[in-house]
Amino acid sequence: MTRGLQGAAGALLLIVLCGLLWGRQSPDAVIFPTASPTRLAVADFTPRAGGAAETQTALSVFNKVLFDDLKFSAFFEIPSQSFYPLRPMRVPQDVVFEDWRVPTLQVDFLVFGNLQVDVGRTVVEAYLYDVKTGEQVLGKRFTVNDSALIRRAAHQFADEVVRQLSAGASRGIGSTRISVATLKGDSKEIQIMDYDGANVRTVTANGGINKFPAWSPDNKRLAFVTKLPAVARWELWLQGLEGGHSKIPFDSSFVSSPAFSPDGSRIAFGARAAQKQAADVFVSDPSGRAIRNLTNHPSIDTSPAWSPTGGQIAFISDRSGTPQVWVMDSDGSNVQRLVTEGGHCDSPSWSPDGRYVLYSWQAPRQWKHDVYLVEAATRKIRQLTSGFGSNESPAWSPDGRHIAFQSTRTGSKQIFIMNLDGKNLKQVTAYGINESPAWSHYEE
């Protein structure tokens, strides 16, 4: 009897200990609303007339980009193309809607079209139809004179489909871009690329160490910090994508993590002012006038992130002992702690709808960071990444349905993207070392 009681007590203790450990590693989950996804068939586009090599090459690019964009959008359930009817569809008259209503498909909408390359000019006709009613929802014609723009046409049509079928909940992310800091030899330069990693372009070429890129609201400029070989301190730069740069003059040995306000009128950044031991969060206008210290605290305060209304700023502070996520009004008042889990937090990023703040967290007694999300109103937390490697510097897509982050899961630091629920994980850089992704805004 005693042995049985001891066994029961031991089992109870084990359950309690497991509960404590689980509670420490997995805070209360944020429950995301779910709905039945729209079933969308994405048929391969076909040649309008003839299948010359140039046309087939263009079709291969267009079909892959369009399919990948729509799959990654997180709005659609796309049945396997192995179930699609074999009948080619170039124009609406070719569609037999009964073929798409069979039990193996039962799709709600159908994407199809044609493409033709003729003397260097590519013409794409793209359609979206409601399978149940047989009515056209979208019809677009794209004409491009450069083969490099075929990807853009696919991105644009994918975004149109997303906008229509999401009832405006998203404008799609096919045409968006991501900026990163990339190690190139002895320098680290700022690069931009399509959201899927294509069309990489170097923005800086100053031979220095450039870090922490941030997009202006109109996507025409990037703010970042730089340390040139001939300069002894870090500087805060603003550079246009088409060239030309300026810097915010500030007497500091350290500056980091710039962030434009939603209206573009202010820039927040972390910096250590002269004669001070710790960094604070500062704000100024883009010309560097009217610099103001928002935190002015003996502890380290850095990594500001604006709320979508511009009324609040999330930031990292170790004033509680370890770096945690805090939030304050944009004038520096009403400072509150947002995350209370201990460990080491970094890189907050506010969701476009204002509900959530992303951040990376190294839990107590853990060797790596993972990406977490905290609901601002309830303080509930959800873990978004796991597994091998350290996952850091999360950034939201402009529609709030995807995130980009840097990870060492493949060895070196590379950029990954995924849906907010962890699905559709994609590695979008593969060479060198790539850090600090920042997702562009929507074009107005």
Side-chain angles (χ1 to χ4, degrees):
M1 182 70 174
T2 302
R3 181 177 299 176
L5 290 174
Q6 288 174 340
L12 179 60
L13 178 61
L14 179 61
I15 291 172
V16 171
L17 287 174
C18 288
L20 291 174
L21 289 172
W22 178 256
R24 175 173 302 192
Q25 301 303 325
S26 298
D28 292 339
V30 176
I31 305 301
F32 295 98
T34 58
S36 299
T38 299
R39 286 182 62 83
L40 176 69
V42 184
D44 281 344
F45 282 44
T46 58
R48 183 172 181 86
E54 296 87 348
T55 296
Q56 292 299 333
T57 299
L59 277 169
S60 178
V61 172
F62 186 91
N63 284 330
K64 177 171 174 48
V65 172
L66 178 63
F67 185 89
D68 289 349
D69 282 359
L70 293 173
K71 180 180 179 182
F72 188 71
S73 72
F75 279 101
F76 309 121
E77 181 180 339
I78 301 178
S80 171
Q81 291 183 323
S82 63
F83 294 113
Y84 290 9
L86 297 179
R87 182 194 306 266
M89 296 177 298
R90 297 175 179 84
V91 294
Q93 291 80 5
D94 296 333
V95 180
V96 178
F97 289 103
E98 288 76 11
D99 291 346
W100 300 93
R101 297 168 183 154
V102 297
T104 52
L105 288 172
Q106 291 185 333
V107 295
D108 302 303
F109 296 91
L110 170 65
V111 166
F112 65 97
N114 64 79
L115 179 151
Q116 195 71 36
V117 179
D118 185 16
V119 195
R121 188 182 72 160
T122 302
V123 177
V124 181
E125 293 179 346
Y127 303 95
L128 171 67
Y129 267 73
D130 185 324
V131 171
K132 291 183 173 61
T133 66
E135 296 179 350
Q136 179 176 299
V137 179
L138 272 177
K140 292 287 181 178
R141 181 183 177 93
F142 302 91
T143 302
V144 298
N145 297 318
D146 185 342
S147 60
L149 299 179
I150 294 172
R151 292 180 54 87
R152 182 183 297 180
H155 286 318
Q156 289 176 348
F157 186 63
D159 287 348
E160 289 280 358
V161 172
V162 170
R163 186 198 289 257
Q164 286 289 331
L165 298 189
S166 71
S170 173
R171 293 163 57 179
I173 47 85
S175 300
T176 62
R177 293 171 291 176
I178 293 174
S179 61
V180 299
T182 300
L183 186 63
K184 303 180 72 174
D186 294 330
S187 67
K188 183 174 289 186
E189 305 291 354
I190 304 300
Q191 295 186 325
I192 60 174
M193 58 187 177
D194 293 354
Y195 92 94
D196 56 8
N199 293 329
V200 178
R201 173 188 162 198
T202 300
V203 176
T204 62
N206 56 35
I209 303 299
N210 303 279
K211 302 173 66 175
F212 306 121
W215 293 87
S216 64
D218 61 5
N219 294 329
K220 293 181 179 179
R221 292 184 294 174
L222 290 169
F224 53 93
V225 301
T226 186
K227 187 177 185 298
L228 300 178
V231 179
R233 61 193 180 107
W234 290 95
E235 297 177 326
L236 176 54
W237 281 26
L238 279 70
Q239 182 161 324
L241 297 191
E242 303 307 320
H245 75 270
S246 61
K247 60 183 179 181
I248 293 180
F250 188 69
D251 187 11
S252 171
S253 60
F254 167 81
V255 63
S256 72
S257 309
F260 280 95
S261 63
D263 64 0
S265 65
R266 293 172 290 173
I267 296 178
F269 55 94
R272 183 170 56 239
Q275 312 305 320
K276 292 199 69 172
Q277 298 297 314
D280 283 304
V281 173
F282 291 80
V283 67
S284 78
D285 67 17
S287 67
R289 294 190 299 266
I291 294 178
R292 180 183 176 190
N293 187 334
L294 294 185
T295 53
N296 196 26
H297 194 276
S299 298
I300 296 174
D301 302 315
T302 188
S303 301
W306 295 86
S307 69
T309 64
Q312 293 178 295
I313 296 176
F315 65 102
I316 297 296
S317 178
D318 68 353
R319 63 185 65 193
S320 59
T322 60
Q324 299 292 293
V325 181
W326 293 68
V327 65
M328 61 182 169
D329 291 347
S330 59
D331 62 1
S333 64
N334 194 26
V335 179
Q336 300 180 42
R337 187 172 173 181
L338 189 60
V339 174
T340 60
E341 298 297 319
H344 186 290
C345 297
D346 201 2
S347 307
S349 178
W350 218 305
S351 67
D353 64 3
R355 291 185 61 189
Y356 306 108
V357 175
L358 286 171
Y359 63 100
S360 68
W361 182 44
Q362 183 181 16
R365 295 184 295 278
Q366 294 292 311
W367 64 271
K368 71 184 188 75
H369 279 79
D370 272 303
V371 176
Y372 287 76
L373 174 149
V374 57
E375 190 171 27
T378 65
R379 306 304 201 254
K380 289 184 177 180
I381 293 171
R382 176 176 178 174
Q383 183 173 350
L384 300 184
T385 65
S386 60
F388 181 79
S390 195
N391 306 287
E392 303 174 77
S393 298
W396 292 93
S397 66
D399 67 353
R401 300 182 69 83
H402 319 273
I403 66 169
F405 60 98
Q406 71 184 47
S407 177
T408 60
R409 62 183 62 201
T410 57
S412 61
K413 290 181 182 178
Q414 300 298 334
I415 307 303
F416 290 76
I417 58 175
M418 68 180 187
N419 294 351
L420 192 56
D421 60 4
K423 296 178 181 178
N424 282 333
L425 177 69
K426 294 184 178 183
Q427 182 176 346
V428 295
T429 64
Y431 303 104
I433 295 175
N434 298 276
E435 303 173 322
S436 303
W439 216 309
S440 69
H441 307 286
Y442 282 131
E443 301 282 355
E444 296 302 331

